[in-house]
Amino acid sequence: MSATAPASIPAPMPSPLEVEAVELVRALIRIDSVNTGDPATIGDGETRAALFVKERLEDAGYTPELVEPRPGRGSVVARLRGSEPDAGALVVHAHLDVVPVDAGDWTHPPFGAEIHDGDLYGRGAVDMKNYAGVILALARAYRREGVVPRRDLIFAFFADEEAGGVWGARWIAKNRPDLLTGATEAIGEVGGFSVSLDARAPDRRAYLVATAEKGVDWATLVARGHAAHGSRPTDDNAVVRLARAVTAIGAHRFPVVRTPALDRFLAEVSAVRGEQFRDESLDDDLARLGFVGSLIAASTRSTVSPTVLAAGSKTNVIPAEATARLDIRIVPGQSAALHDELARIVGDDVEIRWGREIPAIEAPADAPIVAAIQRAITLEDPGALVVPYLLPASTDNKNLALLGIRGYGFVPLRVPADFDVFAQFHAADERIPVSALHFCVRVTDRILRGA
């Protein structure tokens, strides 16, 4: 008799708590809390969302604290005491701001929170009012039911994540660390969504947990020459020098770095697929995994992307200076090596002006909280794997790391095999299956009770 893949687990009828969570997610989406990154164009949406959260926490019996370092930039923090005061507190966090929208690109209203064919549409449906609504519903339920977790749970709803957390998590870490006293670990974005690692067994899912994040640096290349009339070419044309440097950066591939998170991911996937991953063919090997492979490929090496070019203002004038801005993402432990390599690539003719680096972060992939996540997933999706990975982007876990808090990215979402959750971030028609939100409630509940 031939072996067959395990059948899909039918979704149970939603509980009242799951229904409440979806309605809270929808209510939050309807609050336009767009973060443009420009103080002149940011309204009071974040504070309105924070007040919504605060009122519902108070209704459940909490005494939450609203902090608003600038008008309109509100965050809310509330604590549920655990049975073991000496156990490190767990920060469960989401951000209340969202990125801008162009409504003309959307099929459904971006702040309408409409449900169509089982999917909830709206800005923040994935990034990340989904988790904000879920943890708000759980926080309220725990207080109503008198739940006492083992460790303190700190429910945090931050402003300004989409612009680095300067007026949200970073501001709290620097100015109000008392709100996070005793915290040792945190759970937030980006991870937790299900992926299929083997097309031959699509019903055996893996759930990615971000145990590390790349560092971020911005830099500016500056090329100089002599200003001159465009009719008399010069040998030291700043635009030409800059173009050579940018071209060299675009052609360069930094080496693969085997971080602990990457090693764990490749080991888990190798066991599932029966294949080996080699550094010299890693991009091609990962491409066979589909969209999840492209996410992991971005984490295998440091990257430098030229993003903004500027030179001159008049066609018949050779400018004396030309600049290029660079977006740099650095694998943990590779900052010094990247600085040296980039200087070698651009050469002596171009100056590099370094910006403020945000260091990479790493948390242990074998920590008890990862085991608790695996237990929670197994109870809802038997046979599924929790697989660590290195997030190539940034979250508020970097800001919490300023206080020594180890961050994990895990918002549990069980989705169809062809549903690319990561592609929904900042996209038009951002959406999430309602059934995935129900799943998120059940798994997150198990994690918070068992962590």
Side-chain angles (χ1 to χ4, degrees):
M1 183 173 65
S2 61
T4 58
S8 297
I9 303 169
M13 289 293 293
S15 68
L17 177 59
E18 292 163 20
V19 172
E20 177 186 358
V22 172
E23 289 309 306
L24 289 171
V25 174
R26 298 180 74 186
L28 286 167
I29 289 173
R30 292 183 183 119
I31 300 172
D32 179 350
S33 55
V34 166
N35 183 355
T36 63
D38 179 3
T41 58
I42 294 175
D44 64 350
E46 289 164 301
T47 290
R48 287 189 288 114
L51 287 170
F52 175 90
V53 171
K54 178 176 181 285
E55 290 166 1
R56 277 139 192 87
L57 289 171
E58 288 173 336
D59 179 64
Y62 288 89
T63 306
E65 182 147 2
L66 171 69
V67 295
E68 193 178 19
R70 282 197 171 185
R73 317 310 302 273
S75 300
V76 178
V77 180
R79 185 183 293 252
L80 180 64
R81 296 291 179 181
S83 61
E84 297 182 16
D86 293 334
L90 175 65
V91 183
V92 190
H93 63 98
H95 61 84
L96 298 174
D97 61 324
V98 296
V99 295
V101 302
D102 185 341
D105 295 335
W106 287 64
T107 304
H108 305 290
F111 302 106
E114 296 180 358
I115 296 175
H116 298 276
D117 299 322
D119 286 354
L120 171 61
Y121 286 77
R123 178 59 86 220
V126 168
D127 186 19
M128 69 170 309
K129 289 181 176 177
N130 59 342
Y131 199 53
V134 166
I135 64 175
L136 177 56
L138 287 169
R140 284 165 50 85
Y142 290 171
R143 183 67 87 182
R144 288 195 304 259
E145 299 168 12
V147 172
V148 179
R150 182 184 70 85
R151 61 200 295 192
D152 283 11
L153 298 178
I154 302 173
F155 296 99
F157 303 82
F158 294 128
D160 200 32
E161 190 277 342
E162 296 292 359
V166 174
W167 302 110
R170 180 169 288 264
W171 188 91
I172 289 174
K174 291 183 174 182
N175 298 278
R176 291 297 308 277
D178 56 293
L179 295 176
L180 305 174
T181 297
T184 57
E185 294 175 318
I187 294 181
E189 58 180 1
V190 173
F193 43 86
S194 64
V195 296
S196 175
L197 299 179
D198 191 343
R200 297 165 298 184
D203 285 327
R204 190 182 183 199
R205 284 163 288 273
Y207 294 82
L208 303 183
V209 54
T211 58
E213 296 180 6
K214 275 186 172 181
V216 182
D217 205 347
W218 286 353
T220 301
L221 302 182
V222 182
R224 295 185 182 86
H226 290 94
H229 195 285
S231 65
R232 298 182 65 182
T234 63
D235 292 334
D236 63 350
N237 188 313
V239 175
V240 175
R241 286 180 170 175
L242 181 72
R244 282 197 294 261
V246 169
T247 299
I249 290 170
H252 185 74
R253 299 282 283 173
F254 289 89
V256 170
V257 178
R258 288 292 194 118
T259 61
L262 179 60
D263 275 342
R264 277 288 300 273
F265 177 88
L266 297 179
E268 297 281 6
V269 177
S270 294
V272 170
R273 294 175 62 91
E275 301 175 2
Q276 296 300 312
F277 292 87
R278 299 163 297 175
D279 287 0
E280 59 271 20
S281 61
L282 190 54
D283 287 346
D284 291 337
D285 295 341
L286 289 171
R288 292 195 294 272
L289 300 180
F291 57 79
V292 67
S294 65
L295 173 61
I296 302 304
S299 74
T300 60
R301 50 171 57 87
S302 298
T303 60
V304 179
S305 297
T307 55
V308 180
L309 304 177
S313 60
K314 203 167 184 294
T315 303
N316 64 347
V317 177
I318 297 174
E321 183 174 286
T323 63
R325 296 212 297 263
L326 308 177
D327 181 281
I328 302 169
R329 307 295 167 132
I330 308 173
V331 171
Q334 295 299 304
S335 180
L338 181 137
H339 283 221
D340 291 343
E341 183 70 1
L342 188 61
R344 185 193 66 77
I345 294 167
V346 303
D348 296 332
D349 287 342
V350 175
E351 176 190 357
I352 304 176
R353 294 177 181 170
W354 292 100
R356 179 177 59 86
E357 181 177 351
I358 302 175
I361 57 173
E362 290 185 281
D366 57 354
I369 193 169
V370 178
I373 290 171
Q374 178 67 74
R375 290 193 299 272
I377 284 292
T378 299
L379 289 169
E380 292 292 337
D381 191 354
L385 292 173
V386 171
V387 182
Y389 85 109
L390 166 63
L391 176 69
S394 290
T395 75
D396 274 332
N397 278 330
K398 278 195 175 72
N399 296 320
L400 299 179
L402 296 173
L403 299 176
I405 299 170
R406 300 181 295 275
Y408 295 87
F410 197 81
V411 176
L413 300 169
R414 176 172 162 176
V415 295
D418 60 351
F419 190 94
D420 183 354
V421 172
F422 200 76
Q424 298 300 315
F425 282 72
H426 302 184
D429 277 339
E430 182 181 346
R431 70 191 191 279
I432 193 68
V434 172
S435 62
L437 295 176
H438 297 158
F439 179 86
C440 187
V441 173
R442 298 194 301 273
V443 174
T444 303
D445 183 25
R446 294 184 186 278
I447 293 170
L448 300 188
R449 291 174 185 261

Coordinates of all heavy atoms in Angstrom, one line a residue, residues 6 15 22 52 58 67 95 122 136 147 150 155 179 186 200 215 240 305 315 330 333 376 394 406 426 434 441 449:
P6 N -0.6 13.4 4.8 CA -1.7 13.5 5.7 C -2.7 14.5 5.2 O -2.4 15.5 4.5 CB -1.0 14.1 7.0 CG 0.3 14.7 6.4 CD 0.7 13.8 5.3
S15 N -14.4 30.1 17.8 CA -14.9 30.4 19.2 C -15.3 31.8 19.3 O -14.9 32.7 18.5 CB -13.8 30.0 20.2 OG -12.8 30.9 20.1
V22 N -11.2 38.9 15.5 CA -11.3 39.3 14.2 C -12.0 40.7 14.2 O -11.6 41.6 13.4 CB -12.1 38.3 13.3 CG1 -12.5 38.9 12.0 CG2 -11.3 37.0 13.2
F52 N -8.0 53.5 21.4 CA -8.9 52.4 21.2 C -8.4 51.2 22.0 O -9.2 50.5 22.7 CB -9.0 52.0 19.7 CG -9.8 50.8 19.4 CD1 -11.1 50.9 19.1 CD2 -9.2 49.5 19.4 CE1 -11.9 49.8 18.8 CE2 -10.0 48.4 19.1 CZ -11.3 48.5 18.8
E58 N -8.7 48.8 29.6 CA -9.3 49.3 30.9 C -10.7 48.6 31.1 O -11.0 48.3 32.3 CB -9.5 50.8 30.8 CG -8.2 51.6 30.9 CD -8.4 53.1 30.6 OE1 -9.3 53.4 29.9 OE2 -7.5 53.8 31.1
V67 N 1.6 56.4 26.4 CA 2.7 57.3 26.3 C 2.7 58.0 24.9 O 2.4 57.3 23.9 CB 4.1 56.7 26.5 CG1 4.3 56.1 27.9 CG2 4.4 55.5 25.5
H95 N 2.7 46.7 16.4 CA 2.7 48.1 16.1 C 1.4 48.6 15.5 O 0.8 47.8 14.8 CB 3.9 48.5 15.3 CG 4.0 47.9 13.9 ND1 3.3 48.5 12.8 CD2 4.7 46.9 13.4 CE1 3.6 47.8 11.7 NE2 4.4 46.8 12.1
G122 N -7.3 45.0 3.9 CA -7.1 46.3 4.6 C -5.6 46.5 4.9 O -4.9 45.6 5.1
L136 N -4.8 41.8 21.8 CA -5.7 42.6 22.6 C -6.9 41.7 23.0 O -7.3 41.8 24.2 CB -6.2 43.7 21.7 CG -7.3 44.6 22.4 CD1 -6.8 45.2 23.7 CD2 -7.7 45.8 21.4
V147 N -6.9 34.4 34.4 CA -5.8 33.6 34.0 C -4.5 34.2 34.6 O -4.3 35.4 34.6 CB -5.6 33.6 32.5 CG1 -4.3 32.9 32.1 CG2 -6.8 32.8 31.8
R150 N 2.5 31.8 33.9 CA 3.7 31.5 34.7 C 4.6 32.7 34.8 O 5.1 33.0 35.9 CB 4.5 30.4 34.0 CG 5.8 30.0 34.8 CD 6.6 28.9 34.1 NE 7.2 29.4 32.9 CZ 8.4 30.1 33.0 NH1 9.1 30.3 34.1 NH2 9.0 30.5 31.9
F155 N 1.9 43.3 27.4 CA 1.2 43.6 26.2 C 1.6 45.0 25.7 O 1.2 46.0 26.4 CB -0.3 43.4 26.3 CG -0.7 42.0 26.6 CD1 -1.0 41.7 27.9 CD2 -0.7 41.0 25.7 CE1 -1.4 40.4 28.3 CE2 -1.1 39.7 26.0 CZ -1.4 39.4 27.3
L179 N 8.5 50.6 32.0 CA 7.4 49.9 31.5 C 7.7 48.4 31.0 O 6.8 47.6 30.9 CB 6.8 50.6 30.3 CG 6.2 52.0 30.6 CD1 5.8 52.7 29.3 CD2 5.1 51.9 31.5
A186 N 10.9 38.6 23.9 CA 9.8 39.3 23.2 C 9.3 38.5 22.0 O 10.1 37.8 21.4 CB 10.2 40.7 22.8
R200 N 6.0 17.7 -2.7 CA 5.5 16.3 -2.7 C 4.6 16.1 -1.5 O 3.9 15.1 -1.4 CB 6.7 15.3 -2.7 CG 7.5 15.4 -4.0 CD 8.8 14.7 -3.8 NE 9.6 15.4 -2.8 CZ 10.9 15.0 -2.5 NH1 11.5 14.0 -3.2 NH2 11.6 15.6 -1.6
G215 N 21.5 43.5 10.4 CA 21.7 44.9 10.8 C 21.4 45.8 9.7 O 21.3 45.4 8.5
V240 N 30.8 60.4 -13.7 CA 31.4 59.2 -14.2 C 32.0 58.4 -13.0 O 31.9 57.2 -13.0 CB 32.4 59.5 -15.3 CG1 33.2 58.3 -15.7 CG2 31.8 60.2 -16.5
S305 N 22.4 48.1 -1.6 CA 21.5 48.5 -2.7 C 21.6 50.0 -2.9 O 21.2 50.8 -2.0 CB 20.0 48.1 -2.5 OG 19.9 46.7 -2.4
T315 N 21.9 70.7 -17.8 CA 22.5 69.7 -18.7 C 23.8 70.1 -19.2 O 24.7 69.3 -19.5 CB 21.5 69.5 -19.9 OG1 20.2 69.1 -19.4 CG2 22.0 68.5 -20.9
I330 N 23.1 44.0 6.9 CA 24.4 43.3 7.3 C 24.1 42.1 8.1 O 23.3 42.1 9.1 CB 25.2 44.3 8.1 CG1 25.4 45.6 7.4 CG2 26.6 43.6 8.4 CD1 26.1 46.7 8.2
G333 N 27.5 39.9 12.8 CA 28.9 39.7 12.9 C 29.7 40.1 11.7 O 31.0 40.0 11.7
A376 N 3.0 24.4 20.8 CA 1.7 25.0 20.5 C 1.3 24.8 19.1 O 0.1 24.5 18.7 CB 1.8 26.6 20.7
S394 N 13.9 44.6 9.4 CA 14.0 45.0 10.8 C 12.6 45.1 11.4 O 11.6 45.4 10.7 CB 14.6 46.4 10.9 OG 16.0 46.3 10.6
R406 N 15.6 39.6 24.3 CA 15.8 38.7 23.1 C 14.5 38.6 22.4 O 13.5 38.2 22.9 CB 16.4 37.3 23.6 CG 17.7 37.4 24.3 CD 18.2 36.0 24.7 NE 17.3 35.4 25.7 CZ 17.3 35.6 27.0 NH1 18.2 36.4 27.5 NH2 16.5 34.9 27.8
H426 N 3.1 45.7 3.0 CA 3.2 47.0 2.2 C 2.6 46.9 0.8 O 2.8 47.8 0.0 CB 4.6 47.5 2.1 CG 5.3 47.7 3.4 ND1 6.6 48.2 3.6 CD2 4.9 47.4 4.7 CE1 6.9 48.2 4.8 NE2 5.9 47.8 5.6
V434 N -9.3 34.9 7.0 CA -9.9 35.0 8.3 C -9.6 33.7 9.2 O -9.4 33.8 10.4 CB -11.5 35.2 8.2 CG1 -12.1 35.1 9.6 CG2 -11.8 36.6 7.6
V441 N -5.2 33.1 17.0 CA -5.7 33.2 18.4 C -5.4 31.9 19.2 O -4.9 32.0 20.3 CB -7.2 33.5 18.4 CG1 -7.8 33.4 19.8 CG2 -7.5 34.8 17.7
R449 N 0.4 30.9 27.4 CA 0.1 30.1 28.6 C 1.2 29.1 28.9 O 1.4 28.7 30.1 CB -1.2 29.3 28.4 CG -2.5 30.1 28.4 CD -3.7 29.2 28.1 NE -4.9 30.0 28.0 CZ -5.8 30.1 28.9 NH1 -5.7 29.6 30.1 NH2 -6.9 30.8 28.7

